[in-house]
Amino acid sequence: MLSFIPIQMAVNSLFWNNYDLPRAISRFGDDSPAYRELSGKMLAIYLHFMSGTPYIYQGEEIGMVNYPITDISQADDIETRNMYKERLEAGFSKEEILSSINAKGRDNARRPMQWSKGKGAGFTEGRPWLAIHENHQLINADEALKNPNSIFYTYQKLIALRKEYPVMAEGSYQALETGNPHVLAYRKFDEEDEFTVIVNFTKEMQNYTLDVKGDIFLYNYPEVTDQHHHTPRPYEAFVFKK
């Protein structure tokens, strides 16, 4: 008697952040006041048009960033503490090691969720296991919900679009050459829809040579100055729909 084993297609897990990684805005974008929200929206747009299942890690949707430490006593992660000791013994300076920890340390993602600008960031009235970032006065869920242009509403819109356009989660993917390593682009398409995503991963204006057909569909700046301009602004992201 023959038996059949069903074949299940793998589904990509799409993520920038998780419990073991630093905050994506600090790592791949820019956590300065000038570009935090723009680069956060850029990262969200770039990820959510890809095929698979996107994961939004707590605090990502409001643009939480890394928390720099000045002494190893402020670190909780055992891996970080062990690495610090090993590198000191290897001859690295304290400043060099702390710089590395601040860039990629796992504690960056493990700090309490910033719900409000109140005591304990609305997370606790007690003492949390890790210090709360002082920027919770500005970066918190309450403030994000009040601002219609916040990173939170970009994520909300992207989630809604993925339900409206199956091509975003299931369509074919084609990487596109822009002539500039700092400007990334790809095409998502199926029999019904076609999107082209273009993003500038730097804080400088860039040039690219890719010609795209279609109309602007989504962008992260307050306005788009030219639908087919080839000089995207710092951390600019835009999506064309054909």
Side-chain angles (χ1 to χ4, degrees):
M1 182 177 179
L2 295 176
S3 61
F4 296 91
I5 301 175
I7 298 176
Q8 184 175 2
M9 294 183 64
V11 177
N12 289 331
S13 295
L14 308 173
F15 63 93
W16 292 116
N17 302 263
N18 67 30
Y19 186 77
D20 290 321
L21 296 175
R23 291 288 175 177
I25 290 177
S26 297
R27 184 178 185 184
F28 302 113
D30 190 322
D31 56 17
S32 69
Y35 297 121
R36 181 184 66 87
E37 290 209 350
L38 283 171
S39 62
K41 292 176 181 179
M42 177 274 289
L43 292 170
I45 291 171
Y46 188 72
L47 190 78
H48 277 71
F49 277 83
M50 290 187 172
S51 298
T53 301
Y55 290 82
I56 303 172
Y57 182 71
Q58 59 93 5
E60 180 180 352
E61 74 279 26
I62 62 171
M64 286 178 60
V65 299
N66 283 356
Y67 183 111
I69 62 173
T70 57
D71 189 86
I72 192 60
S73 63
Q74 298 169 310
D76 181 70
D77 176 33
I78 188 63
E79 181 180 86
T80 296
R81 288 174 173 268
N82 288 339
M83 181 270 285
Y84 181 85
K85 180 180 178 181
E86 291 169 0
R87 291 194 179 181
L88 273 181
E89 293 173 349
F92 289 88
S93 70
K94 172 183 175 181
E95 290 73 24
E96 288 177 310
I97 306 171
L98 288 177
S99 177
S100 176
I101 291 171
N102 287 333
K104 294 186 178 180
R106 301 194 298 186
D107 282 345
N108 284 304
R110 300 176 180 186
R111 296 188 181 273
M113 175 67 179
Q114 295 168 197
W115 293 104
S116 73
K117 63 181 179 181
K119 180 180 178 181
F123 180 84
T124 180
E125 294 184 358
R127 181 181 179 182
W129 65 93
L130 283 169
I132 295 169
H133 205 306
E134 61 271 15
N135 68 15
H136 75 274
Q137 295 286 326
L138 297 174
I139 304 174
N140 60 69
D142 283 350
E143 293 300 316
L145 292 174
K146 293 176 185 176
N147 178 7
N149 296 314
S150 70
I151 297 174
F152 174 84
Y153 289 109
T154 295
Y155 273 95
Q156 188 180 67
K157 184 172 185 176
L158 288 165
I159 292 169
L161 287 173
R162 284 177 67 87
K163 294 179 179 179
E164 182 177 356
Y165 294 97
V167 65
M168 292 175 66
E170 303 169 1
S172 297
Y173 169 92
Q174 178 188 12
L176 300 174
E177 178 56 58
T178 67
N180 185 333
H182 302 298
V183 180
L184 304 184
Y186 64 88
R187 185 168 71 105
K188 287 298 298 296
F189 58 96
D190 60 16
E191 294 180 354
E192 297 184 7
D193 298 296
E194 179 178 328
F195 292 109
T196 300
V197 180
I198 304 175
V199 300
N200 175 5
F201 258 82
T202 74
K203 62 179 178 181
E204 289 84 28
M205 293 187 69
Q206 301 287 342
N207 295 308
Y208 70 93
T209 58
L210 179 67
D211 289 323
V212 181
K213 295 181 180 180
D215 297 317
I216 198 73
F217 177 77
L218 185 67
Y219 47 92
N220 65 333
Y221 267 74
E223 77 294 323
V224 173
T225 56
D226 181 352
Q227 288 195 6
H228 289 273
H229 67 80
H230 285 184
T231 53
R233 292 166 288 185
Y235 300 107
E236 187 163 20
F238 38 94
V239 181
F240 291 95
K241 186 177 187 300
K242 183 177 177 182

